[in-house]
Amino acid sequence: MNEIYTIGYGGRETDEFIAILNEYEIDTLVDVRSKPYSRFAPDFSKEKLSAILSRSGIQYAFMGDTLGGRPADSDCYTYSPQRKKKLLDAKKCEAKAFYQRGIAQLNHALSSGRRIVIMCSELEPHECHRGYVLGKTLDSDEIAVTHIGRHGEPITQSQIRETSYQEALL
């Protein structure tokens, strides 16, 4: 069985972030932010993060165009009356060709033995599309999804509760 990890950088210092990646023996970071820049944490902007990771022996790959949490395709969203806005809908994303291409690329990288972490900005996986979209898609008999929590602790996909998110869609 292959294992893939997810992590959010929100509020972390780069040294702490790299230490966590090293603890999990990550060799490839896949950035799934639709817009890979941060004015609040400039070290996590695409170019700077790529350089920091490279110095640490970790490969950087951007996939926010296929697996990002804010796809340009408006058909990927469902209106939530409770929140009075459109929210990303996992089932609608999974049906899109661009999303399926991104998942296929991840699966190919996993099959080559890479230790991959999917990164976004939100610290908590249950508040991010890493948990309620990507984790849901990837978690299977062939792939175990482990989210790296706020304190570096492992959280399985089955521990991520989708209930509150799914109820928000109703």
Side-chain angles (χ1 to χ4, degrees):
M1 176 182 279
N2 289 314
E3 188 167 22
I4 193 164
Y5 299 88
T6 84
I7 193 169
Y9 69 82
R12 298 185 204 269
E13 297 294 325
T14 52
D15 290 343
E16 172 195 3
F17 186 77
I18 296 298
I20 292 170
L21 297 182
N22 287 333
E23 179 182 330
Y24 282 87
E25 300 177 355
I26 299 301
D27 60 33
T28 305
L29 181 137
V30 175
D31 186 346
V32 294
R33 297 174 292 169
S34 295
K35 296 182 180 178
Y37 303 97
S38 175
R39 64 177 180 217
F40 300 109
D43 281 352
F44 289 94
S45 292
K46 183 179 180 179
E47 291 80 13
K48 195 159 186 184
L49 179 61
S50 178
I52 290 168
L53 291 169
S54 180
R55 286 192 299 272
S56 300
I58 300 170
Q59 181 180 342
Y60 174 90
F62 174 73
M63 293 186 71
D65 53 345
T66 58
L67 299 176
R70 294 184 182 158
D73 187 335
S74 61
D75 290 340
C76 292
Y77 302 87
T78 297
Y79 181 74
S80 166
Q82 286 80 8
R83 295 193 184 178
K84 298 181 179 158
K85 65 180 182 177
K86 288 187 173 188
L87 299 175
L88 188 62
D89 187 310
K91 288 182 181 173
K92 290 181 177 182
C93 277
E94 289 173 339
K96 299 295 179 180
F98 64 85
Y99 183 82
Q100 292 169 6
R101 273 193 314 275
I103 294 297
Q105 288 174 327
L106 276 180
N107 283 328
H108 178 73
L110 277 174
S111 68
S112 70
R114 307 291 307 185
R115 296 224 5 127
I116 299 172
V117 68
I118 296 169
M119 184 204 76
C120 200
S121 58
E122 289 82 7
L123 189 58
E124 299 291 350
H126 65 277
E127 296 173 354
C128 181
H129 79 293
R130 298 184 332 265
Y132 61 81
V133 178
L134 295 170
K136 182 179 174 187
T137 301
L138 291 165
D139 196 48
S140 65
D141 291 339
E142 293 85 33
I143 300 172
V145 177
T146 301
H147 304 279
I148 301 170
R150 174 181 299 271
H151 305 290
E153 74 281 8
I155 303 168
T156 65
Q157 180 63 28
S158 62
Q159 291 174 299
I160 300 295
R161 293 189 208 153
E162 296 182 66
T163 307
S164 60
Y165 176 77
Q166 293 301 329
E167 286 174 356
L169 294 175
L170 303 175

